[in-house]
Amino acid sequence: MRSELYIDGRWVSPIKGGTFDVINPATEDVIHKLPAATAEDVDAAVAAARRAFDKDGWPKLSGAQRATYLRAIAGGIRARQQEIARLEVIDNGKPLPEAEWDIADAAGCFDYYAGLADQRDNDPGEAIELSDARFTSRAVKEPIGVAGAIIPWNYPLLMAAWKVAPALAAGCTVVLKPAELTSLTALELAAIADGAKLPPGVLNVVTGSGSVAGQAIVDHKGVAKLAFTGSGPVGSKIMAAAARDIKRVSLELGGKSPFVVFDDADIDEAVEWIMFGIFWNQGQVCSATSRVLVQDGIYGELLRRVVEETQKITIGNGVEDGILLGPLVSKRQYEQVLGAIEAARSAGATVACGGRRPDGFERGYFLEPTVLTDVPLDSDAWREEIFGPVLCIRPFSDENEAIELANESRFGLAAAVMSKDDVRAERVAVAFRAGIVWINCSQPTFTEAPWGGYKESGIGRELGYWGLENYLETKQITKFVSEEPWGWYLKPSEAAQ
């Protein structure tokens, strides 16, 4: 495990020498110490990124040349997939099969953006039809500059890939700050980039707290673009701080996503997707479909089946075989989720199952998967993101009521609908006020498709070509092509000559 910052192609100790503990959430043991970067370290990282962008020529490389580095990074990730997945488990807590899936997706993300980098070599820009034939004009895309990327703890390496890969493909340089709780694999990404001979300064990784290292990135005048994934309150502060320098910002924030199940749905399939939508990654997923709305005709039976299957979920240390639910990421997160369950109970909700530490687990941040019923519509449990394995479920009578309840939220990240009536499913999908909509499923995510939300769930889109656009500026280039002089300053007699 790495123990230094990665700045300007070198492993360096923080200027002020501080460290912080890495805690395994399954055992509560301190397993490592990592460097705590300060504003001075961030300044060095930004200076390196600026030099790589302004002087060393990273944005001037062809897309094919940048793609070569991206593919080498993808190959480096795949070569170490098992090792990195295990690091993810002891750092984050998720079950090993989930971590393996994440690491494979991260490698795929670098490959995908390598392909888009290749395509940029054949893009002359968009020709613009003008009203004056004496001019031609085109719009071209150019890299923004230094990108400051601040990522969350729920998908550590994958969230790094979602930002680093498109930024590098676009020709930007990057200062990456992983979450303090889960920084191990971001440093391994730096090691893989180093092994791929990525030029110094193109990718810099600084570990430390959000309030110190993260804030230094946000405030740094050398950073042209901020890309953040995390909570709404932090995203709001970042947006306000970025406004001082008119920095470009993309924000992928929280959600309280609905899942509408109509009474013609197959109950077995519905149960499978409902559970995947809330219990994958311990429910620590921004798009988790944590509000389930079930039509009256099947509500009782579906609820019975959800509770029955939820109680079968195997809980334990993610490195063990057969585990489907690991610990929450930290003591603080564990206490917050427990507090949210107790608050829901106090507000009138019924705990149909779960809601407590499982028997036999004296250490680790383990929590039984929880199903809440009778949740008041005005309660925090129904309206606010819990970010844990907690499902709220209630009945509805007709389509209009379902849509109204689904959209009654300050969030708009994702939504799902399940029905055998394709026309109705499509109609409801269009009616959802959300940036990501699933029909007859929940949570499938593809690098090729845009990811982001409406309302307080964020600004901008990641993934697909939209993710590349986050790191590009649009430039207009207009040329005077007439053989006749323009004639604004010249005297009429001179213009005629």
Side-chain angles (χ1 to χ4, degrees), residues 442-463:
S442 177
Q443 307 306 311
T445 304
F446 300 95
T447 306
E448 303 87 350
W451 183 274
Y454 290 13
K455 298 184 276 188
E456 292 185 34
S457 287
I459 293 174
R461 294 294 182 270
E462 295 192 298
L463 300 183

mmCIF file with all atom_site columns, all heavy atoms in Angstrom, residues 442-463:
data_model
loop_
_atom_site.group_PDB
_atom_site.id
_atom_site.type_symbol
_atom_site.label_atom_id
_atom_site.label_alt_id
_atom_site.label_comp_id
_atom_site.label_asym_id
_atom_site.label_entity_id
_atom_site.label_seq_id
_atom_site.pdbx_PDB_ins_code
_atom_site.Cartn_x
_atom_site.Cartn_y
_atom_site.Cartn_z
_atom_site.occupancy
_atom_site.B_iso_or_equiv
_atom_site.pdbx_formal_charge
_atom_site.auth_seq_id
_atom_site.auth_comp_id
_atom_site.auth_asym_id
_atom_site.auth_atom_id
_atom_site.pdbx_PDB_model_num
ATOM 1   N N   . SER A 1 442 ? -33.268 -1.795 -12.321 1.00 0.00 ? 442 SER A N   1
ATOM 2   C CA  . SER A 1 442 ? -32.785 -0.696 -11.478 1.00 0.00 ? 442 SER A CA  1
ATOM 3   C C   . SER A 1 442 ? -31.276 -0.807 -11.339 1.00 0.00 ? 442 SER A C   1
ATOM 4   O O   . SER A 1 442 ? -30.757 -1.890 -11.075 1.00 0.00 ? 442 SER A O   1
ATOM 5   C CB  . SER A 1 442 ? -33.432 -0.752 -10.082 1.00 0.00 ? 442 SER A CB  1
ATOM 6   O OG  . SER A 1 442 ? -32.910 0.259  -9.241  1.00 0.00 ? 442 SER A OG  1
ATOM 7   N N   . GLN A 1 443 ? -30.596 0.304  -11.579 1.00 0.00 ? 443 GLN A N   1
ATOM 8   C CA  . GLN A 1 443 ? -29.157 0.477  -11.368 1.00 0.00 ? 443 GLN A CA  1
ATOM 9   C C   . GLN A 1 443 ? -28.207 0.044  -12.482 1.00 0.00 ? 443 GLN A C   1
ATOM 10  O O   . GLN A 1 443 ? -26.998 0.277  -12.331 1.00 0.00 ? 443 GLN A O   1
ATOM 11  C CB  . GLN A 1 443 ? -28.692 -0.183 -10.052 1.00 0.00 ? 443 GLN A CB  1
ATOM 12  C CG  . GLN A 1 443 ? -29.453 0.239  -8.813  1.00 0.00 ? 443 GLN A CG  1
ATOM 13  C CD  . GLN A 1 443 ? -29.500 1.738  -8.598  1.00 0.00 ? 443 GLN A CD  1
ATOM 14  O OE1 . GLN A 1 443 ? -28.489 2.412  -8.650  1.00 0.00 ? 443 GLN A OE1 1
ATOM 15  N NE2 . GLN A 1 443 ? -30.699 2.257  -8.341  1.00 0.00 ? 443 GLN A NE2 1
ATOM 16  N N   . PRO A 1 444 ? -28.620 -0.577 -13.583 1.00 0.00 ? 444 PRO A N   1
ATOM 17  C CA  . PRO A 1 444 ? -27.599 -0.875 -14.594 1.00 0.00 ? 444 PRO A CA  1
ATOM 18  C C   . PRO A 1 444 ? -26.974 0.429  -15.089 1.00 0.00 ? 444 PRO A C   1
ATOM 19  O O   . PRO A 1 444 ? -27.677 1.404  -15.363 1.00 0.00 ? 444 PRO A O   1
ATOM 20  C CB  . PRO A 1 444 ? -28.376 -1.584 -15.704 1.00 0.00 ? 444 PRO A CB  1
ATOM 21  C CG  . PRO A 1 444 ? -29.782 -1.114 -15.540 1.00 0.00 ? 444 PRO A CG  1
ATOM 22  C CD  . PRO A 1 444 ? -29.971 -0.948 -14.057 1.00 0.00 ? 444 PRO A CD  1
ATOM 23  N N   . THR A 1 445 ? -25.660 0.459  -15.161 1.00 0.00 ? 445 THR A N   1
ATOM 24  C CA  . THR A 1 445 ? -24.924 1.677  -15.525 1.00 0.00 ? 445 THR A CA  1
ATOM 25  C C   . THR A 1 445 ? -23.942 1.342  -16.631 1.00 0.00 ? 445 THR A C   1
ATOM 26  O O   . THR A 1 445 ? -23.195 0.363  -16.529 1.00 0.00 ? 445 THR A O   1
ATOM 27  C CB  . THR A 1 445 ? -24.168 2.216  -14.293 1.00 0.00 ? 445 THR A CB  1
ATOM 28  O OG1 . THR A 1 445 ? -25.098 2.434  -13.228 1.00 0.00 ? 445 THR A OG1 1
ATOM 29  C CG2 . THR A 1 445 ? -23.462 3.523  -14.609 1.00 0.00 ? 445 THR A CG2 1
ATOM 30  N N   . PHE A 1 446 ? -23.941 2.159  -17.664 1.00 0.00 ? 446 PHE A N   1
ATOM 31  C CA  . PHE A 1 446 ? -23.097 1.903  -18.822 1.00 0.00 ? 446 PHE A CA  1
ATOM 32  C C   . PHE A 1 446 ? -22.244 3.126  -19.112 1.00 0.00 ? 446 PHE A C   1
ATOM 33  O O   . PHE A 1 446 ? -22.735 4.255  -19.118 1.00 0.00 ? 446 PHE A O   1
ATOM 34  C CB  . PHE A 1 446 ? -23.953 1.542  -20.034 1.00 0.00 ? 446 PHE A CB  1
ATOM 35  C CG  . PHE A 1 446 ? -24.788 0.310  -19.812 1.00 0.00 ? 446 PHE A CG  1
ATOM 36  C CD1 . PHE A 1 446 ? -26.101 0.407  -19.385 1.00 0.00 ? 446 PHE A CD1 1
ATOM 37  C CD2 . PHE A 1 446 ? -24.239 -0.947 -19.988 1.00 0.00 ? 446 PHE A CD2 1
ATOM 38  C CE1 . PHE A 1 446 ? -26.869 -0.719 -19.148 1.00 0.00 ? 446 PHE A CE1 1
ATOM 39  C CE2 . PHE A 1 446 ? -24.994 -2.092 -19.758 1.00 0.00 ? 446 PHE A CE2 1
ATOM 40  C CZ  . PHE A 1 446 ? -26.306 -1.979 -19.340 1.00 0.00 ? 446 PHE A CZ  1
ATOM 41  N N   . THR A 1 447 ? -20.972 2.890  -19.371 1.00 0.00 ? 447 THR A N   1
ATOM 42  C CA  . THR A 1 447 ? -20.043 3.979  -19.634 1.00 0.00 ? 447 THR A CA  1
ATOM 43  C C   . THR A 1 447 ? -20.490 4.812  -20.826 1.00 0.00 ? 447 THR A C   1
ATOM 44  O O   . THR A 1 447 ? -20.218 6.014  -20.892 1.00 0.00 ? 447 THR A O   1
ATOM 45  C CB  . THR A 1 447 ? -18.634 3.413  -19.898 1.00 0.00 ? 447 THR A CB  1
ATOM 46  O OG1 . THR A 1 447 ? -18.257 2.568  -18.806 1.00 0.00 ? 447 THR A OG1 1
ATOM 47  C CG2 . THR A 1 447 ? -17.609 4.513  -20.042 1.00 0.00 ? 447 THR A CG2 1
ATOM 48  N N   . GLU A 1 448 ? -21.210 4.221  -21.760 1.00 0.00 ? 448 GLU A N   1
ATOM 49  C CA  . GLU A 1 448 ? -21.604 4.924  -22.981 1.00 0.00 ? 448 GLU A CA  1
ATOM 50  C C   . GLU A 1 448 ? -22.770 5.891  -22.779 1.00 0.00 ? 448 GLU A C   1
ATOM 51  O O   . GLU A 1 448 ? -23.011 6.744  -23.635 1.00 0.00 ? 448 GLU A O   1
ATOM 52  C CB  . GLU A 1 448 ? -22.009 3.905  -24.053 1.00 0.00 ? 448 GLU A CB  1
ATOM 53  C CG  . GLU A 1 448 ? -20.931 2.893  -24.395 1.00 0.00 ? 448 GLU A CG  1
ATOM 54  C CD  . GLU A 1 448 ? -20.931 1.656  -23.501 1.00 0.00 ? 448 GLU A CD  1
ATOM 55  O OE1 . GLU A 1 448 ? -21.648 1.641  -22.481 1.00 0.00 ? 448 GLU A OE1 1
ATOM 56  O OE2 . GLU A 1 448 ? -20.199 0.706  -23.827 1.00 0.00 ? 448 GLU A OE2 1
ATOM 57  N N   . ALA A 1 449 ? -23.509 5.771  -21.684 1.00 0.00 ? 449 ALA A N   1
ATOM 58  C CA  . ALA A 1 449 ? -24.747 6.545  -21.500 1.00 0.00 ? 449 ALA A CA  1
ATOM 59  C C   . ALA A 1 449 ? -24.552 7.665  -20.477 1.00 0.00 ? 449 ALA A C   1
ATOM 60  O O   . ALA A 1 449 ? -23.787 7.508  -19.518 1.00 0.00 ? 449 ALA A O   1
ATOM 61  C CB  . ALA A 1 449 ? -25.868 5.612  -21.046 1.00 0.00 ? 449 ALA A CB  1
ATOM 62  N N   . PRO A 1 450 ? -25.249 8.799  -20.643 1.00 0.00 ? 450 PRO A N   1
ATOM 63  C CA  . PRO A 1 450 ? -25.047 9.935  -19.737 1.00 0.00 ? 450 PRO A CA  1
ATOM 64  C C   . PRO A 1 450 ? -25.539 9.639  -18.327 1.00 0.00 ? 450 PRO A C   1
ATOM 65  O O   . PRO A 1 450 ? -26.545 8.963  -18.132 1.00 0.00 ? 450 PRO A O   1
ATOM 66  C CB  . PRO A 1 450 ? -25.875 11.057 -20.384 1.00 0.00 ? 450 PRO A CB  1
ATOM 67  C CG  . PRO A 1 450 ? -26.932 10.344 -21.166 1.00 0.00 ? 450 PRO A CG  1
ATOM 68  C CD  . PRO A 1 450 ? -26.281 9.100  -21.665 1.00 0.00 ? 450 PRO A CD  1
ATOM 69  N N   . TRP A 1 451 ? -24.820 10.213 -17.359 1.00 0.00 ? 451 TRP A N   1
ATOM 70  C CA  . TRP A 1 451 ? -25.141 9.994  -15.938 1.00 0.00 ? 451 TRP A CA  1
ATOM 71  C C   . TRP A 1 451 ? -25.189 11.341 -15.231 1.00 0.00 ? 451 TRP A C   1
ATOM 72  O O   . TRP A 1 451 ? -24.210 12.081 -15.218 1.00 0.00 ? 451 TRP A O   1
ATOM 73  C CB  . TRP A 1 451 ? -24.078 9.105  -15.300 1.00 0.00 ? 451 TRP A CB  1
ATOM 74  C CG  . TRP A 1 451 ? -24.374 8.770  -13.871 1.00 0.00 ? 451 TRP A CG  1
ATOM 75  C CD1 . TRP A 1 451 ? -24.058 9.492  -12.756 1.00 0.00 ? 451 TRP A CD1 1
ATOM 76  C CD2 . TRP A 1 451 ? -25.075 7.612  -13.407 1.00 0.00 ? 451 TRP A CD2 1
ATOM 77  N NE1 . TRP A 1 451 ? -24.510 8.860  -11.629 1.00 0.00 ? 451 TRP A NE1 1
ATOM 78  C CE2 . TRP A 1 451 ? -25.141 7.712  -11.996 1.00 0.00 ? 451 TRP A CE2 1
ATOM 79  C CE3 . TRP A 1 451 ? -25.647 6.513  -14.035 1.00 0.00 ? 451 TRP A CE3 1
ATOM 80  C CZ2 . TRP A 1 451 ? -25.764 6.735  -11.219 1.00 0.00 ? 451 TRP A CZ2 1
ATOM 81  C CZ3 . TRP A 1 451 ? -26.264 5.549  -13.249 1.00 0.00 ? 451 TRP A CZ3 1
ATOM 82  C CH2 . TRP A 1 451 ? -26.304 5.657  -11.857 1.00 0.00 ? 451 TRP A CH2 1
ATOM 83  N N   . GLY A 1 452 ? -26.332 11.643 -14.623 1.00 0.00 ? 452 GLY A N   1
ATOM 84  C CA  . GLY A 1 452 ? -26.479 12.888 -13.883 1.00 0.00 ? 452 GLY A CA  1
ATOM 85  C C   . GLY A 1 452 ? -27.952 13.156 -13.633 1.00 0.00 ? 452 GLY A C   1
ATOM 86  O O   . GLY A 1 452 ? -28.822 12.440 -14.144 1.00 0.00 ? 452 GLY A O   1
ATOM 87  N N   . GLY A 1 453 ? -28.238 14.195 -12.839 1.00 0.00 ? 453 GLY A N   1
ATOM 88  C CA  . GLY A 1 453 ? -29.605 14.371 -12.394 1.00 0.00 ? 453 GLY A CA  1
ATOM 89  C C   . GLY A 1 453 ? -30.209 15.740 -12.605 1.00 0.00 ? 453 GLY A C   1
ATOM 90  O O   . GLY A 1 453 ? -29.542 16.696 -12.996 1.00 0.00 ? 453 GLY A O   1
ATOM 91  N N   . TYR A 1 454 ? -31.506 15.810 -12.337 1.00 0.00 ? 454 TYR A N   1
ATOM 92  C CA  . TYR A 1 454 ? -32.268 17.047 -12.339 1.00 0.00 ? 454 TYR A CA  1
ATOM 93  C C   . TYR A 1 454 ? -32.209 17.665 -10.927 1.00 0.00 ? 454 TYR A C   1
ATOM 94  O O   . TYR A 1 454 ? -31.760 17.056 -9.964  1.00 0.00 ? 454 TYR A O   1
ATOM 95  C CB  . TYR A 1 454 ? -33.735 16.788 -12.658 1.00 0.00 ? 454 TYR A CB  1
ATOM 96  C CG  . TYR A 1 454 ? -34.075 16.371 -14.067 1.00 0.00 ? 454 TYR A CG  1
ATOM 97  C CD1 . TYR A 1 454 ? -33.108 15.966 -14.980 1.00 0.00 ? 454 TYR A CD1 1
ATOM 98  C CD2 . TYR A 1 454 ? -35.403 16.367 -14.492 1.00 0.00 ? 454 TYR A CD2 1
ATOM 99  C CE1 . TYR A 1 454 ? -33.453 15.581 -16.262 1.00 0.00 ? 454 TYR A CE1 1
ATOM 100 C CE2 . TYR A 1 454 ? -35.758 15.993 -15.772 1.00 0.00 ? 454 TYR A CE2 1
ATOM 101 C CZ  . TYR A 1 454 ? -34.782 15.592 -16.657 1.00 0.00 ? 454 TYR A CZ  1
ATOM 102 O OH  . TYR A 1 454 ? -35.138 15.216 -17.929 1.00 0.00 ? 454 TYR A OH  1
ATOM 103 N N   . LYS A 1 455 ? -32.718 18.866 -10.837 1.00 0.00 ? 455 LYS A N   1
ATOM 104 C CA  . LYS A 1 455 ? -32.946 19.559 -9.556  1.00 0.00 ? 455 LYS A CA  1
ATOM 105 C C   . LYS A 1 455 ? -31.687 19.524 -8.681  1.00 0.00 ? 455 LYS A C   1
ATOM 106 O O   . LYS A 1 455 ? -30.592 19.815 -9.160  1.00 0.00 ? 455 LYS A O   1
ATOM 107 C CB  . LYS A 1 455 ? -34.173 18.956 -8.857  1.00 0.00 ? 455 LYS A CB  1
ATOM 108 C CG  . LYS A 1 455 ? -35.456 19.126 -9.677  1.00 0.00 ? 455 LYS A CG  1
ATOM 109 C CD  . LYS A 1 455 ? -36.698 18.633 -8.953  1.00 0.00 ? 455 LYS A CD  1
ATOM 110 C CE  . LYS A 1 455 ? -36.921 17.165 -9.089  1.00 0.00 ? 455 LYS A CE  1
ATOM 111 N NZ  . LYS A 1 455 ? -38.227 16.707 -8.548  1.00 0.00 ? 455 LYS A NZ  1
ATOM 112 N N   . GLU A 1 456 ? -31.813 19.199 -7.410  1.00 0.00 ? 456 GLU A N   1
ATOM 113 C CA  . GLU A 1 456 ? -30.675 19.258 -6.502  1.00 0.00 ? 456 GLU A CA  1
ATOM 114 C C   . GLU A 1 456 ? -29.747 18.041 -6.607  1.00 0.00 ? 456 GLU A C   1
ATOM 115 O O   . GLU A 1 456 ? -28.838 17.882 -5.798  1.00 0.00 ? 456 GLU A O   1
ATOM 116 C CB  . GLU A 1 456 ? -31.155 19.428 -5.055  1.00 0.00 ? 456 GLU A CB  1
ATOM 117 C CG  . GLU A 1 456 ? -31.806 20.780 -4.795  1.00 0.00 ? 456 GLU A CG  1
ATOM 118 C CD  . GLU A 1 456 ? -32.159 20.996 -3.335  1.00 0.00 ? 456 GLU A CD  1
ATOM 119 O OE1 . GLU A 1 456 ? -31.407 20.508 -2.460  1.00 0.00 ? 456 GLU A OE1 1
ATOM 120 O OE2 . GLU A 1 456 ? -33.185 21.651 -3.058  1.00 0.00 ? 456 GLU A OE2 1
ATOM 121 N N   . SER A 1 457 ? -29.967 17.226 -7.611  1.00 0.00 ? 457 SER A N   1
ATOM 122 C CA  . SER A 1 457 ? -29.092 16.071 -7.802  1.00 0.00 ? 457 SER A CA  1
ATOM 123 C C   . SER A 1 457 ? -27.863 16.394 -8.634  1.00 0.00 ? 457 SER A C   1
ATOM 124 O O   . SER A 1 457 ? -27.029 15.513 -8.863  1.00 0.00 ? 457 SER A O   1
ATOM 125 C CB  . SER A 1 457 ? -29.867 14.913 -8.451  1.00 0.00 ? 457 SER A CB  1
ATOM 126 O OG  . SER A 1 457 ? -30.749 14.328 -7.507  1.00 0.00 ? 457 SER A OG  1
ATOM 127 N N   . GLY A 1 458 ? -27.726 17.634 -9.088  1.00 0.00 ? 458 GLY A N   1
ATOM 128 C CA  . GLY A 1 458 ? -26.470 17.982 -9.715  1.00 0.00 ? 458 GLY A CA  1
ATOM 129 C C   . GLY A 1 458 ? -26.577 18.841 -10.954 1.00 0.00 ? 458 GLY A C   1
ATOM 130 O O   . GLY A 1 458 ? -27.663 19.238 -11.385 1.00 0.00 ? 458 GLY A O   1
ATOM 131 N N   . ILE A 1 459 ? -25.403 19.096 -11.534 1.00 0.00 ? 459 ILE A N   1
ATOM 132 C CA  . ILE A 1 459 ? -25.271 19.911 -12.744 1.00 0.00 ? 459 ILE A CA  1
ATOM 133 C C   . ILE A 1 459 ? -24.310 19.194 -13.684 1.00 0.00 ? 459 ILE A C   1
ATOM 134 O O   . ILE A 1 459 ? -23.225 18.781 -13.281 1.00 0.00 ? 459 ILE A O   1
ATOM 135 C CB  . ILE A 1 459 ? -24.708 21.305 -12.411 1.00 0.00 ? 459 ILE A CB  1
ATOM 136 C CG1 . ILE A 1 459 ? -25.709 22.101 -11.577 1.00 0.00 ? 459 ILE A CG1 1
ATOM 137 C CG2 . ILE A 1 459 ? -24.366 22.081 -13.688 1.00 0.00 ? 459 ILE A CG2 1
ATOM 138 C CD1 . ILE A 1 459 ? -25.156 23.412 -11.096 1.00 0.00 ? 459 ILE A CD1 1
ATOM 139 N N   . GLY A 1 460 ? -24.701 19.066 -14.940 1.00 0.00 ? 460 GLY A N   1
ATOM 140 C CA  . GLY A 1 460 ? -23.840 18.418 -15.924 1.00 0.00 ? 460 GLY A CA  1
ATOM 141 C C   . GLY A 1 460 ? -24.072 16.912 -15.969 1.00 0.00 ? 460 GLY A C   1
ATOM 142 O O   . GLY A 1 460 ? -24.881 16.363 -15.216 1.00 0.00 ? 460 GLY A O   1
ATOM 143 N N   . ARG A 1 461 ? -23.374 16.263 -16.871 1.00 0.00 ? 461 ARG A N   1
ATOM 144 C CA  . ARG A 1 461 ? -23.483 14.818 -17.047 1.00 0.00 ? 461 ARG A CA  1
ATOM 145 C C   . ARG A 1 461 ? -22.091 14.201 -17.133 1.00 0.00 ? 461 ARG A C   1
ATOM 146 O O   . ARG A 1 461 ? -21.188 14.769 -17.744 1.00 0.00 ? 461 ARG A O   1
ATOM 147 C CB  . ARG A 1 461 ? -24.265 14.478 -18.314 1.00 0.00 ? 461 ARG A CB  1
ATOM 148 C CG  . ARG A 1 461 ? -25.734 14.892 -18.279 1.00 0.00 ? 461 ARG A CG  1
ATOM 149 C CD  . ARG A 1 461 ? -26.502 14.100 -17.227 1.00 0.00 ? 461 ARG A CD  1
ATOM 150 N NE  . ARG A 1 461 ? -27.911 14.433 -17.183 1.00 0.00 ? 461 ARG A NE  1
ATOM 151 C CZ  . ARG A 1 461 ? -28.444 15.391 -16.418 1.00 0.00 ? 461 ARG A CZ  1
ATOM 152 N NH1 . ARG A 1 461 ? -27.647 16.132 -15.655 1.00 0.00 ? 461 ARG A NH1 1
ATOM 153 N NH2 . ARG A 1 461 ? -29.729 15.613 -16.417 1.00 0.00 ? 461 ARG A NH2 1
ATOM 154 N N   . GLU A 1 462 ? -21.949 13.034 -16.529 1.00 0.00 ? 462 GLU A N   1
ATOM 155 C CA  . GLU A 1 462 ? -20.739 12.244 -16.678 1.00 0.00 ? 462 GLU A CA  1
ATOM 156 C C   . GLU A 1 462 ? -21.040 11.083 -17.614 1.00 0.00 ? 462 GLU A C   1
ATOM 157 O O   . GLU A 1 462 ? -22.184 10.818 -17.959 1.00 0.00 ? 462 GLU A O   1
ATOM 158 C CB  . GLU A 1 462 ? -20.250 11.740 -15.318 1.00 0.00 ? 462 GLU A CB  1
ATOM 159 C CG  . GLU A 1 462 ? -19.808 12.871 -14.402 1.00 0.00 ? 462 GLU A CG  1
ATOM 160 C CD  . GLU A 1 462 ? -19.054 12.401 -13.187 1.00 0.00 ? 462 GLU A CD  1
ATOM 161 O OE1 . GLU A 1 462 ? -19.639 11.660 -12.380 1.00 0.00 ? 462 GLU A OE1 1
ATOM 162 O OE2 . GLU A 1 462 ? -17.882 12.787 -13.051 1.00 0.00 ? 462 GLU A OE2 1
ATOM 163 N N   . LEU A 1 463 ? -19.975 10.394 -18.014 1.00 0.00 ? 463 LEU A N   1
ATOM 164 C CA  . LEU A 1 463 ? -20.035 9.215  -18.877 1.00 0.00 ? 463 LEU A CA  1
ATOM 165 C C   . LEU A 1 463 ? -20.464 9.577  -20.296 1.00 0.00 ? 463 LEU A C   1
ATOM 166 O O   . LEU A 1 463 ? -20.976 10.666 -20.565 1.00 0.00 ? 463 LEU A O   1
ATOM 167 C CB  . LEU A 1 463 ? -20.934 8.126  -18.279 1.00 0.00 ? 463 LEU A CB  1
ATOM 168 C CG  . LEU A 1 463 ? -20.492 7.600  -16.909 1.00 0.00 ? 463 LEU A CG  1
ATOM 169 C CD1 . LEU A 1 463 ? -21.407 6.469  -16.456 1.00 0.00 ? 463 LEU A CD1 1
ATOM 170 C CD2 . LEU A 1 463 ? -19.051 7.135  -16.920 1.00 0.00 ? 463 LEU A CD2 1
#
